Amino acid sequence: AEGGVLDFSAVESDAGATVSITGSLRGEEKMNSFDRRRFLTAAGVGVIAAASSFTVLRDVLAAGKIKPTDADALLVIDVQNCFIPGGSLAVKEGDLIVPLINRIAKSFSNVVLTQDWHTADHVSFASQHPGKKPFETIKLDYGTQVLWPDHCVQGTEGAQIHSGIDIPQAQVVIRKGYHRDVDSYSAFLEADRKTETGLAGYLKGRKIKQVFVCGLATDYCVAWSALDARKFGFQASVIEDACRGIDINGSVAAAWKDMTAAGVKQIQSSDFA
Ligand code: VGL
Ligand code: ZN
């Protein structure tokens, strides 16, 4: 109502309820008291009907949507400059997930950010292995290691979280891959599959039961983190459209197969209210 004008336009909800009232009290002097009472009654019914149709609409839209609780945490994996187009290990479209992650994060009270955090002479860098090129593999004592371009060196600009990430309530930043001789795709366990980062203990200490994983890259750090979340007893979902993959020889499809087999759910950012 503005300046004594009460004006409702049509309100239509997905639930099929239609409320249409158009009235103006500006023509009040032309209404007799019977008309006025009838109009106000109709308007009142309309207000109630409109309010309940908004409630129905809201409930219909929210039905089946995920509403995170204090027992849930969002894990935002490695959204760092090196993995964004223009970075040294750029993931195609890596920048496109940033607005989606910011939106999803608003519904979480618990958010963990991770940073890949390598020494300058890290064993996962092809530059440390004469004759080897990025994306070739070598055998290390813990297994096969993919060799990468130098990336996410401790304290460098490339290792910083992308400046578009806007999640002020995030409580923890887990850095990983800081042991020169051991890589760590997973936010939980290093590549020796023994050394913990401390994230599982943190989440358990906070009574968190379920994690939602997004970030970069789907087929490496996101997938390994989601798989290890299951290993440590958490419920885990990966938000597919809030991730992008590196995709070497079908590695994204392989990662989804492994994740599904391990009970990781595949969801979309639109699954959040
Ligand atoms: C990652 C390759 C090397 C990742 C980190 O964040 O997925 N991939 N280091
Ligand atoms: Zn790395």
Side-chain angles (χ1 to χ4, degrees):
E2 161 214 322
V5 175
L6 181 66
D7 191 5
F8 277 91
S9 312
V11 177
E12 189 161 353
S13 82
D14 284 348
T18 303
V19 179
S20 182
I21 305 167
T22 305
S24 168
L25 294 186
R26 204 169 268 155
E28 200 170 18
E29 62 282 2
K30 287 179 222 126
M31 276 189 190
N32 63 30
S33 71
F34 175 74
D35 286 342
R36 190 155 56 235
R37 197 169 335 108
R38 205 172 45 172
F39 170 73
L40 290 174
T41 303
V45 168
V47 166
I48 293 162
S52 70
S53 87
F54 279 127
T55 303
V56 168
L57 177 62
R58 186 201 62 205
D59 291 350
V60 165
L61 292 175
K65 297 278 179 178
I66 299 163
K67 292 167 215 77
T69 70
D70 285 351
D72 299 322
L74 180 67
L75 308 187
V76 180
I77 304 294
D78 298 5
V79 186
Q80 293 166 273
N81 294 328
C82 279
F83 297 124
I84 298 287
S88 60
L89 180 40
V91 181
K92 191 170 169 236
E93 300 184 347
D95 51 333
L96 299 187
I97 67 175
V98 171
L100 279 67
I101 293 172
N102 288 339
R103 185 187 81 79
I104 298 161
K106 288 188 201 306
S107 59
F108 280 86
S109 57
N110 300 312
V111 180
V112 176
L113 308 176
T114 71
Q115 281 177 298
D116 213 32
W117 199 250
H118 298 310
T119 60
D121 59 352
H122 197 258
V123 70
S124 74
F125 294 173
S127 61
Q128 297 300 303
H129 304 275
K132 289 289 186 180
K133 291 194 288 293
F135 309 106
E136 293 179 354
T137 59
I138 51 163
K139 295 266 185 257
L140 295 178
D141 51 11
Y142 58 74
T144 301
Q145 172 70 52
V146 179
L147 296 174
W148 304 105
D150 292 12
H151 65 278
C152 297
V153 172
Q154 297 167 6
T156 63
E157 182 64 26
Q160 292 307 304
I161 304 275
H162 184 267
S163 63
I165 288 288
D166 182 19
I167 314 178
Q169 80 275 27
Q171 298 103 339
V172 189
V173 179
I174 290 281
R175 290 171 168 172
K176 60 185 179 63
Y178 48 78
H179 290 124
R180 190 193 79 104
D181 295 317
V182 188
D183 204 358
S184 189
Y185 296 144
S186 165
F188 292 89
L189 268 188
E190 296 188 9
D192 62 5
R193 308 276 77 210
K194 295 195 288 269
T195 309
E196 293 195 32
T197 63
L199 180 57
Y202 172 81
L203 295 174
K204 285 177 197 237
R206 297 275 330 282
K207 309 267 188 283
I208 287 163
K209 305 273 188 281
Q210 173 164 239
V211 298
F212 293 88
V213 191
C214 60
L216 303 169
T218 318
D219 39 351
Y220 288 93
C221 292
V222 168
W224 285 60
S225 296
L227 290 167
D228 281 349
R230 296 291 298 139
K231 197 169 297 185
F232 281 99
F234 300 98
Q235 300 274 88
S237 298
V238 168
I239 310 161
E240 185 176 21
D241 58 331
C243 301
R244 285 296 186 277
I246 297 172
D247 210 10
I248 304 172
N249 301 321
S251 53
V252 169
W256 278 116
K257 192 160 176 278
D258 293 346
M259 289 192 283
T260 302
V264 176
K265 285 186 225 130
Q266 183 171 8
I267 66 169
Q268 307 301 323
S269 61
S270 57
D271 293 330
F272 291 89

